Amino acid sequence: MSTPDTDPTMQHLRAVDQLIGQGALLAAATQLDEAARAAPGDPRVYLMGARMAEAAGRPQEALAYLRRAAGLSPQWAAPVTELALLLARQDRHTEALAAARQAVALAPDSIDVLHRAIHVAHQTLNPHLALQWLEQVLRLDPGNASAQLQVARDLSQIGEYRQSLAAYAPLVEAYPAHADIRLGRAKTAILAGEHAQARQDCAALVAGEPDNPTYRFWLEVAHGQVPPTQPAAMTQALFDGYAPQFDRHLVEGLQYQVPARVAALVAARYPDNRLDLLDAGCGTGLLGKHLGRIQGALVGVDLSPRMVEQAARLQRYDQLHTGDLLDFLVATPDAHYDVVAACDVFIYVGDLTAVIPQAGRAIRPGGHCIFSCEAAQPGEADLVLRPSTRYAHQLHHVQALCTAAGFDDTTFEPATIRVEDGERIEGYIVVARKAA
């Protein structure tokens, strides 16, 4: 009987795996062909073929390999699990979840399969299903701290704040110096209205790292204050993690139409398509996608490197930059763009007293600043931090900032920014024209 060390197919596949890791894909393909000739019906060959195809940038070929592997060994959970993961990476959510369920049904006692299925559930934005599988993990391994932490996070995500706090409590007791655990409980405590608990946790975090801007931000929030802006590291981490499923979640899940509307507003003012435009906080390039090709420079800047990577794939932008928006504007020469656009960016920037004047300086006379804001309600402050950690702005305050920055014609168009948990998040799109 062959063992893993003497199995000739396994030896070939180990060699293929090493070559893929080294980026030697041509040599890997040669080795894989040898393995396929030696064992044409071995599903492990097709599993490795899928890995090689994805490394080579051929996602459909990878998918075909995994379907073949699963078909050759329908009772083996490994290829079905890998199929689920690949489908999730390709945003084929329904198929991914079906494959993940099949994998769990094939190996309900495999913690590895369950963890991979949980990852698929998170990738496909299904925390309820993730919680179901996390419960299975904890039945098999009650002391699994990683699973316990994910339960606490997912409970908070679905709005079960009291249950989430109960799940966090033993984790904080067991790991009092674990910053992610304590910060997670602090955020949930704020959402639950347990501000004393949030202040205690945030104070402990700041005591451990006094110069950490994210911990200081949450300490202010726990004390009922409104920090003027989000720390750059906090926003970057949010969107780096969000990048792979960003477009699908926003457009399909949250009915997000701001980039399409901003593109239409730009087209109405520049019907010949001749303009230089800065897409401030470009994200994955949704505005560039709606604008299409323009007769001028389309430049994007975003804090998140992973978002910028997604935008680069569109091949619509002449330049893409990773960095802080205000820093980028400060470094921009005077009168450099016809339009500065910001789609749902200022909801993370917060205080606009520096950003709007810098945008105005960077715009040519007669040019435009076009951006969206969430609306603060009558009686609220000029700047409000929502429980979502997004900022809302009073319209009259934004208008005053635009006037002071040299915009002589500012219009406000009411807009539903997104639909979240069945509720319409209301805001407005600003079109501010710089004096000629």
Side-chain angles (χ1 to χ4, degrees), residues 298-366:
L298 177 58
V299 179
V301 60
D302 200 278
L303 264 177
S304 165
R306 294 192 67 189
M307 287 286 193
V308 170
E309 287 173 10
Q310 297 284 330
R313 295 177 184 175
L314 291 174
Q315 299 184 337
R316 293 277 176 85
Y317 289 81
D318 298 283
Q319 297 176 37
L320 284 164
H321 302 271
T322 302
D324 178 80
L325 171 57
L326 181 57
D327 291 343
F328 187 84
L329 286 170
V330 168
T332 299
D334 291 354
H336 196 67
Y337 296 103
D338 297 292
V339 174
V340 172
C343 301
D344 267 18
V345 176
F346 293 167
I347 61 175
Y348 298 100
V349 170
D351 184 5
L352 303 180
T353 54
V355 172
I356 287 180
Q358 286 296 335
R361 183 189 56 76
I363 294 171
R364 293 167 185 148

Side-chain angles (χ1 to χ4, degrees), residues 193-218:
E194 299 287 348
H195 296 290
Q197 179 66 74
R199 288 192 292 270
Q200 177 187 329
D201 284 329
C202 290
L205 289 165
V206 170
E209 290 187 50
D211 296 327
N212 187 307
T214 296
Y215 299 161
R216 290 198 164 276
F217 172 92
W218 284 109

Side-chain angles (χ1 to χ4, degrees), residues 161-407:
Y161 303 128
R162 300 294 174 187
Q163 291 184 48
S164 176
L165 289 174
Y168 270 118
L171 288 168
V172 174
E173 185 176 350
Y175 307 97
H178 195 295
D180 286 346
I181 293 174
R182 197 173 279 277
L183 181 59
R185 184 170 73 171
K187 292 178 184 179
T188 301
I190 290 168
L191 292 168
E194 299 287 348
H195 296 290
Q197 179 66 74
R199 288 192 292 270
Q200 177 187 329
D201 284 329
C202 290
L205 289 165
V206 170
E209 290 187 50
D211 296 327
N212 187 307
T214 296
Y215 299 161
R216 290 198 164 276
F217 172 92
W218 284 109
L219 183 60
E220 289 183 55
V221 175
H223 279 279
Q225 301 167 5
V226 178
T229 190
Q230 280 193 15
M234 179 174 154
T235 307
Q236 179 184 332
L238 172 67
F239 285 99
D240 275 350
Y242 207 14
Q245 64 264 30
F246 183 77
D247 289 7
R248 181 183 180 113
H249 178 53
L250 274 184
V251 177
E252 295 183 19
L254 304 183
Q255 301 174 39
Y256 179 58
Q257 300 298 323
V258 170
R261 181 57 187 152
V262 169
L265 291 166
V266 170
R269 284 153 183 81
Y270 300 87
D272 60 359
N273 244 7
R274 296 185 180 276
L275 72 156
D276 296 322
L277 184 145
L278 173 64
D279 187 358
C282 63
T284 59
L286 283 171
L287 178 59
K289 186 183 296 185
H290 287 290
L291 278 173
R293 296 289 180 188
I294 64 173
Q295 301 301 309
L298 177 58
V299 179
V301 60
D302 200 278
L303 264 177
S304 165
R306 294 192 67 189
M307 287 286 193
V308 170
E309 287 173 10
Q310 297 284 330
R313 295 177 184 175
L314 291 174
Q315 299 184 337
R316 293 277 176 85
Y317 289 81
D318 298 283
Q319 297 176 37
L320 284 164
H321 302 271
T322 302
D324 178 80
L325 171 57
L326 181 57
D327 291 343
F328 187 84
L329 286 170
V330 168
T332 299
D334 291 354
H336 196 67
Y337 296 103
D338 297 292
V339 174
V340 172
C343 301
D344 267 18
V345 176
F346 293 167
I347 61 175
Y348 298 100
V349 170
D351 184 5
L352 303 180
T353 54
V355 172
I356 287 180
Q358 286 296 335
R361 183 189 56 76
I363 294 171
R364 293 167 185 148
H368 298 82
C369 188
I370 305 177
F371 58 92
S372 61
C373 290
E374 288 189 17
Q377 298 304 307
E380 290 186 317
D382 290 344
L383 183 66
V384 181
L385 184 65
R386 299 289 185 221
S388 62
T389 68
R390 295 189 293 261
Y391 289 96
H393 298 83
Q394 282 288 1
L395 187 151
H396 64 78
H397 176 63
V398 173
Q399 185 163 28
L401 290 174
C402 289
T403 300
F407 295 100

Side-chain angles (χ1 to χ4, degrees), residues 141-158:
D141 182 12
N144 190 316
S146 174
Q148 291 169 356
L149 176 56
Q150 195 58 65
V151 165
R153 288 171 172 165
D154 284 350
L155 285 169
S156 184
Q157 184 180 345
I158 65 174

